[in-house]
Amino acid sequence: MSAPFVRPAARRTTIRPILTITLLLALAACTPQAGGPARQPAYTVFFSEHSSQLEPQAVDVIAQAASAAKAAPAVHVMVLGYTDSAGSKPDDVVLSRQRAQRVADALTADGVPAGRIAQQGRGQTGQDPGVESRRVDITLGN
């Protein structure tokens, strides 16, 4: 006796639901779950050497961060200031605090309530002198 002949169409009808379920499970795994970790958008404002003055490009970045913060009123805003390693550590802590304060003030001026903003000056990043180290990071999250 030979094995029964299975038509190709019959095989497709049993494979199709399995593929559909597999695809749906894969899509569900990519969807963020409520209460799970959320991606925290970060905005970076850069400064000139030994300065806490906001340049026009920095004002634009702060406006974008403020807009995102206003769109999510339950989200806290963290402002962290840094400096490069060109100056003395005590002076750089003061400068990083000034930079964070400038950015926090600009966020408040753009409509973000001051009570939602936490700020901290962290001083030197430990990296070589350069614009990447002379910055303030703005993070939105809980």
Side-chain angles (χ1 to χ4, degrees):
M1 249 181 148
S2 65
F5 176 74
V6 177
R7 295 185 337 210
R11 236 183 328 197
R12 271 190 296 232
T13 57
T14 58
I15 292 175
R16 210 174 268 157
I18 293 171
L19 288 175
T20 303
I21 291 170
T22 304
L23 179 62
L24 289 173
L25 289 172
L27 287 173
C30 295
T31 306
Q33 302 296 314
R39 183 174 175 193
Q40 299 179 353
Y43 301 86
T44 303
V45 177
F46 295 102
F47 291 85
S48 295
E49 193 171 11
H50 307 296
S51 174
S52 63
Q53 290 298 113
L54 295 175
E55 296 177 6
Q57 186 176 1
V59 173
D60 291 342
V61 172
I62 294 167
Q64 291 172 10
S67 178
K70 290 186 292 187
V75 172
H76 297 283
V77 181
M78 184 61 162
V79 178
L80 300 174
Y82 299 95
T83 64
D84 59 23
S85 58
S88 72
K89 286 186 179 187
D91 289 345
D92 283 344
V93 169
V94 171
L95 181 58
S96 68
R97 287 178 184 161
Q98 290 171 344
R99 289 174 175 170
Q101 185 65 54
R102 286 279 178 148
V103 171
D105 290 346
L107 287 166
T108 302
D110 282 345
V112 179
R116 290 179 51 205
I117 302 171
Q119 65 190 37
Q120 184 178 23
R122 295 214 168 154
Q124 297 178 354
T125 61
Q127 299 172 357
D128 292 329
V131 71
E132 299 84 19
S133 299
R134 299 186 309 264
R135 71 181 193 274
V136 168
D137 293 332
I138 306 166
T139 305
L140 307 179
N142 289 326

